[in-house]
Amino acid sequence: MKYMSSAGDYKVDRPGRLVGRAGRIAPDLKWPFVGTVAITFVATIVRLLGPLVIKGGIDQGITEGDRQVIVTAAAIFVGLLVVQYFAAAISQWSVAVIGERYLVRLRSVVFSRLLRLDMGFYSRSKSGVLVSRMTSDIESLQEFASEGAAMALTNLLTVIGVAVALGLVDWQMALAVFVVVGVLLGVSVIFQRQARRAYDQVRERIGRVLATLQEGITGVRVVQAFTQEDAQASTFGRVNERYFDANMDAARAISWYFPVVALLRVVALAAVLGIGATRVLDGSLTIGTLVAFLLYLDWFFQPIINLSNVYNLLQSALSAMAKLFELMDEPVVVEDRPGAHDLTEPVAGTVVLDGVSFSYEPDTPVLFDVSVAVDAGERVAIVGETGSGKSTIAKLVMRFYDPTVGTISIDGTDLRDLTERSRSDTLALIPQDGFLFSGTLRENIAYADVSAPDEAVWNVMRAMGIDDWVRSLPEGLDTEVRERGGRFSAGERQLVALARAFLSDPAIIVLDEATSNLDPETEIQVEGALRVLLSGRTSVVIAHRLRSAERADRVVMVDAGRVIAEGTHDELVERSAKYQELVEVWRRGTK
Amino acid sequence: MSERQSRLGDLNVGIALLWRVLVRYRRIAAVSIGGALIWMSMVVWVPYLVGRVIDAVVSGSGMSNVWPLLGLIIVAGAIQAIGISLRRYYGFKVSYRAEADLRNEIFTHIQRMAFSFHDVTSTGELMARASSDLSQLRLILAMAPITLANLVMFFVVTVVLVIIDPVLGLTAALMVPALLLTSGRFASRVVGFSFDLQQRLSELSHVVEETVSGIEVVKSYGQQAQQQKRLDDKAETIYDAAMGMAKQRAIYRPLFEIIPALGTVAVLLIGGIRVVDGAMTFGEFVSFTQYLATMVLPLMITGWFFANLPRSAAAASRIDALLATAPEISEPRRPEHLKPGQGEVRFNSVSFAYPDGASVLKDVNLVIPGGTSVGLVGATGSGKSTIAHLIPRFYDVVQGSITIDGVDVRELRLDELRSEVAVVFQESYLFSASIEENIRVGDPMASDDRVRSAARLAKAHEFICEFADGYATVVGERGSTLSGGQRQRVSLARGVVRDPRVLILDDATSSVDAIVEAEIQEALKQVMAGRTTVIIAHRTSTLALVDNVVFIEDGRVVAFGSHDELLETVPRYSEVLAADMGAIA
């Protein structure tokens, strides 16, 4: 949250500004919205005419004994109902179109912002929070769009319409009803406050229940291995009971509110009947008016209850909106400078770090004055202990961050003067774990170039030595890798990631070597693929193994954010005591 | 046909479960139903009383006749309110109590199901049983009392209407089936779409999750546009599903106003003419309109109830099926106790196959002398992990037996067996609790000193102390605040603190980098001293630590001996290890 506070302007207590900004996301929906309000207005007016028709039927038909008037009134009523049906249906439908269209737009806008934000932002923010902006927050807007908006509009118009109608028909009875409704409103406010608190708690606690549940399921093997079944069950029992308690708090609120509403409705009915009866008896009111009034009365209470429910949806929609705007106000730090240009082809692939210092957070520098020059086609291994800053170098070369001091350049061009397109064409990162997107194998391999022909994909796979493996899969290239490659082993995922890099054919490869062990056979395959991939390209390898250091043209040893030695493996073994230590540890691990 | 039959079967099983639940909480349920009936019996009087008021007015008999009637209306309203309160509160109580109790049952049950069950059952599936399926069941339970009262009310009102005026009564009563059917059909259509919508929402959140966790790859290849398109496509499918639902709403929602209004038209037309004919009083005419208005909401709710009943019954039957599955690993009837010993592990002609049929181990005979260490080596799929997992009885052998110090593992109580056989898994799972609590999972009674010395042995102490909160640091989201290597070290400490007779390390240091692993290996020597230790590892440095190596191929023990012996005498052994020897340039 600390990092999300840069735009605290949009608090829920300023709904006007929020709604205004929300509207600017989709200005083209303004006129459809106006049209929808109009048709909803028509539907409401037509509906409100119904009781007046009945009043006419009673006063001119039944009271006068004129059957013809009764038939006519019934016919008019049916005609009104037909109009009402279509107007209401169109209103419902068009509110939904507007709301859902808006959400499509909003999702797209927020996501595109998310994609533009730099890696600094990603490393600061919890991924769960980011995902929930795009999911639970927008979903609460969705809920409002699909359920709330139509309900808010129709019920609001109905309440206003009925209030006007009651006042027009008879102001004395209307006054009695308004008094009761005033009480209802007050009661509803109290209830909503109470219910909101209760439901906030319910939501929070169901979250705990689900988290504990999930933990109990995914960790079940450890639970059983350490015979923690009873302990887990009692923890879960407690969390679950607290959820029950929260639900019952909400139930208590509901259990007094709805009875009170029902009672108020009857009180209003009795009041109308009392006043109405007196007035009919003294001749100042027709019986038809009284009946019409009773009909209106039924349409008054439910919409008010509905509106108070919608109010909750609206509240959570607004607070979701506020959170989304905070996200959208995050500054984009790493961006193409004005006047950024492409590298001139052919790209040679030299990488120069010149006096680079860097800190993720102010005052805690990670790199100090690092200068490294990598020639075109050279393979440089960066070695050092965990936390020495070697991975940071890789990230800076990829321009996931900009250096605090100093420059990094490719073929003599400062990374910051390079267009993103040119940069991503020139550089490819191979992260530690072979990250796969859901989709087919083909989509994963041809990630950098969706339009790559099959032949090119097969060539790549042949070069990477995975063509036989892919052929052995029942669906071959069309195999769905499932979420994060859950179906494939770590080695297979790694191989696919290598193939992806090979197809994109970058001049420079930044390889963050995996620390974890693959099983020996796969390891051989990965080694072979890497050899093919790296040959003829500039490569910066964040090395975790002796082999990688040995095979590099040059080794750069980083310690506590500084380059402390540089040279070939053999040179460093002679010159650097620290390097010797490292090599010794590596050796022990592989003998 | 068979699908239909199974659906009917589901319905029966599900309704049986719902019924059992209602019976289990019969007292609370009874109060709720009682409240619902009180509400119903009062509600049906109000339209009648309104009619009487109107008749009094029309006949011009004066307000003295009207006031008592108004008093009765308010009394009925007050009693009705009490009924609603009882019905709601106790209805909620039954449903939430049942939900909570069943969820506990499900959780406990899941905890007891053996590995073989969890191997083939996805987390999502189990989550669905204990969350969405349960809520589905809860909704129906909460609605059961009012539905019962509603059904009685429809009957009573229909009878009253027919008594007042048979022709108009029967006509107006048509509203009952009309609204029930409309509401039922609407609910069942919307349910389908909302299922679709949920599905698509979760697909979209996959895209987001994937993009966020793979953001380095996305940016590295400059494929923001591609991810954007994926998201936009998903957003568009959500639009389609939402609009599918909106269309149903547009068609059906207005009907809930139109149908009662048509009832009112019928009353106006038929009732009006009968009033003119003198066959009906004007008050009765007004009663009719009031009865129609009273029934609208209960009709909608009841239609919704019956539309949802099949889904809830299906959910209930899924829950029932889960609870009815017996754990495959069961406690012995007459348990033995472990004999004193050093932890000798013996495999006697053990064969094993996973439930899907593939045979994994074939006639494995193996003796691990007490207090010694062995390394299990073999290619992926050779069966080495299976051997390790059979010892603490995560699975039962298909043939043969496994003994610890001469006692068959199946003769021991599970908690006794597993307190003496500790496993450190490759996938180091940590609970979202403090690091200390995570280590204490190994031995809840362990002293602070023992926790710390275990952490030292596992080379975790140093990094733990670097955290601001030290051992009290809470490990978030499945241990995600720690790196893979750190997580493995915490779970190693958890195994060490258990101080078992037999310690199994299942590739337990694979994510630790070489430098740290070297340190751990030093420490491991202490842990292994005098303790039976089974290690699955690739790194030759680890294998150099163990007394013996078991070399496994295709589910058979191919060779047994020291690492050096096997290197010399078994060519395949060197081949399998070759990649790790750093031989490839």
Side-chain angles (χ1 to χ4, degrees), chain A residues 84 150-151 155 158 186 196 207 248 267-268 278 311 351 409 497 519 529:
Chain A
Q84 185 195 331
M151 207 184 250
N155 285 301
T158 305
R196 202 177 154 76
M248 288 312 292
V267 169
T278 318
Y311 181 74
V351 180
S409 47
D519 80 70

Side-chain angles (χ1 to χ4, degrees), chain B residues 52-129:
Chain B
R52 291 283 305 274
V53 170
I54 300 293
D55 273 344
V57 172
V58 173
S59 65
S61 60
M63 283 308 283
S64 57
N65 286 332
V66 171
W67 294 126
L69 290 170
L70 293 183
L72 281 179
I73 288 178
I74 292 197
V75 169
I79 299 178
Q80 167 213 224
I82 294 171
I84 295 178
S85 188
L86 289 175
R87 187 257 291 166
R88 288 226 177 219
Y89 183 76
Y90 288 96
F92 279 127
K93 194 160 182 181
V94 170
S95 63
Y96 286 129
R97 195 64 265 165
E99 185 194 19
D101 290 351
L102 276 171
R103 189 178 282 124
N104 270 336
E105 261 175 62
I106 293 173
F107 186 83
T108 310
H109 190 71
I110 290 173
Q111 295 291 299
R112 301 208 186 292
M113 293 306 286
F115 279 33
S116 52
F117 171 84
H118 290 288
D119 289 344
V120 294
T121 315
S122 75
T123 307
E125 207 176 308
L126 293 176
M127 290 289 289
R129 286 307 88 75

Side-chain angles (χ1 to χ4, degrees), chain A residues 67 101 117 215 386 519, chain B residues 119 219 236 277 380 432 513:
Chain A
R67 291 186 182 78
R101 265 286 138 230
L117 288 166
E215 189 164 285
T386 309
D519 80 70
Chain B
D119 289 344
K219 296 219 162 198
E236 208 58 53
D277 289 348
T380 308
S432 47
D513 73 33

Side-chain angles (χ1 to χ4, degrees), chain A residues 1-23:
Chain A
M1 272 298 100
K2 190 174 133 205
Y3 300 100
M4 306 286 277
S5 60
S6 59
D9 290 357
Y10 294 99
K11 294 273 161 52
V12 188
D13 50 312
R14 287 196 191 164
R17 272 182 85 178
L18 262 177
V19 171
R21 182 163 176 193

Side-chain angles (χ1 to χ4, degrees), chain A residues 428-490:
Chain A
L429 170 82
I430 299 171
Q432 287 198 351
D433 61 328
F435 184 88
L436 299 190
F437 296 95
S438 55
T440 62
L441 258 182
R442 182 201 317 270
E443 285 163 349
N444 267 288
I445 293 173
Y447 186 67
D449 177 11
V450 190
S451 59
D454 265 19
E455 207 190 316
V457 175
W458 279 105
N459 281 338
V460 164
M461 290 193 295
R462 219 166 292 128
M464 294 289 100
I466 55 171
D467 50 330
D468 286 341
W469 169 64
V470 173
R471 231 173 264 124
S472 78
L473 298 171
E475 287 158 90
L477 261 181
D478 294 319
T479 305
E480 288 282 337
V481 302
R482 294 250 180 98
E483 199 192 348
R484 301 204 200 148
R487 258 198 199 179
F488 299 148
S489 73

